[in-house]
Amino acid sequence: MTHTLQNGSLIPTGSGVIDAEHGGILDLLTAMTAGGPAGLAELTALRHEVAEHFATETVEMAVLAPERRERHEQAHRSYLASIDALIKTAERGDPLTGDDANRLMLWFIVHSNTADTELVEAARRTGDEPLMISMDEWLDSLDEADRDALRS
Ligand SMILES: [Fe+2]
Ligand SMILES: [Fe+2]
């Protein structure tokens, strides 16, 4: 049983869009873990929100090295597969167990706090890359004698 994680354990990544989507998904997961037995409707709603959110992150992943990008995408595919398996179980009439819901919550919080935080940080670093310094502008800032010496 996983009872140690509270909602406050979700750390903001620093991306407004991603954090807003995380908040929406966390609300669904909180209802699943705290409310009565969740079934097909709740799982289907979660699947929809999560798939849309992963699509948002896929766009951001252009900044990642291919190997890290594939690892992140693989984590997303694996989470969606877990939800799909629970949907199949619910379709057979078995409601989600408390352990199932806790595991969905645990994965989501850990993934958001690690892989997603890394993704947002990588995207931020790319935006911060310094501009190319022009050699000519740099030479112009020198004394005339130094400039002539370097240009000759
Ligand atoms: Fe995420
Ligand atoms: Fe992610």
Side-chain angles (χ1 to χ4, degrees), residues 53-54 57 61 72 76 111 115-116 119:
H53 170 60
F54 287 172
E57 289 189 0
M61 278 181 214
H72 198 148
H76 285 179
H111 178 85
D116 292 352
L119 170 62

